[in-house]
Amino acid sequence: VTPIELSERVIARDRRAVAKAISLIENDSAGTAELLRALAPRGRNAYRVGITGPPGAGKSTLTSEMTKALREQGKTVGIIAIDPTSPFTGGALLGDRIRMQAVSMDPGVYVRSMATRGSLGGLSAKAKDAADVLDAAGFDYVLFETVGVGQSELDIAKAADTTIVVLVPESGDSIQAMKSGLMEIADFFVLNKSDREGADQAVLALKTILMFRITHAEDEWIPEVLKTVASKAVGVPEVLAEIERHRVHLINTGELDVRRKSRERERILELVDAMLRIDFWTHDRKESLEHSLITILKGEATSYDLAHSLVREFHKVYS
Ligand SMILES: Nc1nc2c(ncn2[C@@H]2O[C@H](COP(=O)(O)OP(=O)(O)OP(=O)(O)O)[C@@H](O)[C@H]2O)c(=O)[nH]1
Ligand SMILES: [Mg+2]
């Protein structure tokens, strides 16, 4: 199928076409640009929510329950579970798949695991592009779940309109969140597993930390801390209500457009970087660099000299 044919099937919400389209993106396959171009006029309607937090916090359980609740409201939901570590389907994802099976039998729900294999962008970029596909396919919500910890969790905020950080009562979680930069990306917090001991103290600890961050700026959004028991669907309507409250806030302050523009800007910067790098590092240039390295060791040149001469030569080729 051509990218145009594929785009038509995506717009008709053909599940196999959606799967194929996301695979194209995942692998930087030829036709990706044309596909996204054809889908572009159809998108820009889905609301994108990132669900992140430490391993085992209950992100998948919460995502499933949120999906069920959204379906009851008549909304359609696309879910992207992102695995930053393994390009293959790992154990965690398999577990997710089983957990998500109940919701994914529903034609109004699409569940997809995703890895980043290609070189034209990182995790958040690929997640964004995949969300563009689901958006064009007419899903009302796109939920991203990030598995694991680290930079990928922080990056997901770039792909989402609203980012939820899921924590659990275990002591030290809020301190951990503060250290790892999760505090900065959270539009609100969910303290899941609040059926466990220490939930109220954990909420208090989080709220105390958050209090220090209040700047009293006009239109300031102050992140809430909500308690849930995802495994019993407790607190889920409140989570959806908070997403809605945040969405309205973003619209009223103009911040939604700011976020969406910044998402596109980041994506373009990343694509240009990757494209230039691919054009630049031809076999010949790599060889030439390899042969010159010895001059540095001999003290006859510096790394700056070699970089400058490579770039100068590159500019000559393109002028
Ligand atoms: N007690 C309790 N257990 C929960 C709750 N929510 C989820 N769990 C359980 O916690 C375990 C992990 O839940 P997941 O939803 O897989 O957590 P996750 O954050 O998606 O995990 P990873 O994707 O592996 O990082 C499962 O056994 C869930 O049944 C809760 O509110 N209370
Ligand atoms: Mg999970």
Side-chain angles (χ1 to χ4, degrees):
V1 285
T2 67
I4 300 297
E5 285 163 353
L6 187 60
S7 75
E8 283 161 5
R9 287 170 49 200
V10 166
I11 290 162
R13 213 188 285 168
D14 170 338
R15 301 173 83 85
R16 286 179 57 191
V18 170
K20 178 113 198 291
I22 295 177
S23 296
L24 286 186
I25 288 166
E26 221 170 21
N27 299 315
D28 295 332
S29 300
T32 304
E34 206 183 330
L35 171 76
L36 290 174
R37 167 98 286 285
L39 294 178
R42 292 305 188 117
R44 315 294 165 248
N45 294 312
Y47 198 73
R48 302 170 186 207
V49 179
I51 296 149
T52 187
K59 301 179 293 294
S60 298
T61 314
L62 182 67
T63 302
S64 304
E65 291 306 325
M66 284 166 61
T67 302
K68 283 186 209 162
L70 285 167
R71 290 298 293 136
E72 278 164 22
Q73 296 177 10
K75 306 289 190 196
T76 51
V77 184
I79 299 169
I80 303 171
I82 306 152
D83 182 358
T85 48
S86 164
F88 308 104
T89 306
L93 287 185
L94 207 63
D96 276 356
R97 207 166 277 159
I98 292 161
R99 202 166 296 125
M100 300 254 179
Q101 218 156 43
V103 287
S104 63
M105 301 306 273
D106 174 349
V109 177
Y110 181 84
V111 185
R112 167 68 185 237
S113 309
M114 213 182 164
T116 55
R117 296 192 194 87
S119 54
L120 290 178
L123 209 53
S124 66
K126 293 298 177 72
K128 177 210 163 292
D129 290 349
D132 288 346
V133 169
L134 294 173
D135 197 341
F139 288 96
D140 298 314
Y141 283 82
V142 177
L143 310 181
F144 305 106
E145 180 196 337
T146 37
V147 186
V149 281
Q151 190 57 43
S152 64
E153 288 190 321
L154 305 183
D155 274 352
I156 201 60
K158 293 182 194 157
D161 298 318
T162 296
T163 301
I164 306 175
V165 171
V166 182
L167 299 173
V168 290
E170 273 67 65
S171 60
D173 232 28
S174 55
I175 302 293
Q176 207 49 47
M178 199 168 54
K179 282 192 201 153
S180 61
L182 284 175
M183 293 308 265
E184 279 73 17
I185 64 156
D187 292 310
F188 66 94
F189 291 88
V190 164
L191 191 87
N192 190 42
K193 307 198 184 184
S194 60
D195 52 331
R196 289 190 181 171
E197 214 174 303
D200 289 330
Q201 292 95 302
V203 170
L204 205 65
L206 264 173
K207 284 192 170 167
T208 307
I209 295 169
L210 287 168
M211 233 164 56
F212 287 109
R213 301 177 50 85
I214 294 176
T215 62
H216 301 287
E218 205 184 333
D219 292 331
E220 181 176 13
W221 172 263
I222 298 168
E224 274 290 340
V225 184
L226 306 182
K227 285 201 291 182
T228 60
V229 184
S231 51
K232 294 194 176 109
V234 172
V236 174
E238 289 78 3
V239 171
L240 295 186
E242 191 63 5
I243 292 171
E244 184 55 20
R245 197 172 75 86
H246 187 240
R247 191 181 71 86
V248 169
H249 168 86
L250 291 180
I251 292 168
N252 290 345
T253 55
E255 182 67 23
L256 187 60
D257 280 346
V258 172
R259 281 190 184 201
R260 290 183 168 183
K261 267 191 200 160
S262 124
R263 183 150 83 211
E264 299 305 333
R265 183 185 306 112
E266 289 255 346
R267 184 65 180 123
I268 293 164
L269 292 180
E270 193 175 44
L271 279 172
V272 170
D273 283 355
M275 287 170 180
L276 285 179
R277 201 172 324 124
I278 290 164
D279 279 353
F280 188 89
W281 288 114
T282 57
H283 177 75
D284 285 357
R285 254 182 221 111
K286 278 188 196 158
E287 286 270 281
S288 146
L289 170 63
E290 220 38 58
H291 289 307
S292 336
L293 288 175
I294 189 69
T295 62
I296 299 182
L297 299 193
K298 286 180 179 165
E300 295 164 3
T302 67
S303 44
Y304 284 86
D305 295 335
L306 296 193
H308 277 307
S309 96
L310 282 165
V311 172
R312 252 197 312 273
E313 181 262 343
F314 178 77
H315 283 322
K316 253 183 233 153
V317 172
Y318 277 83
S319 62

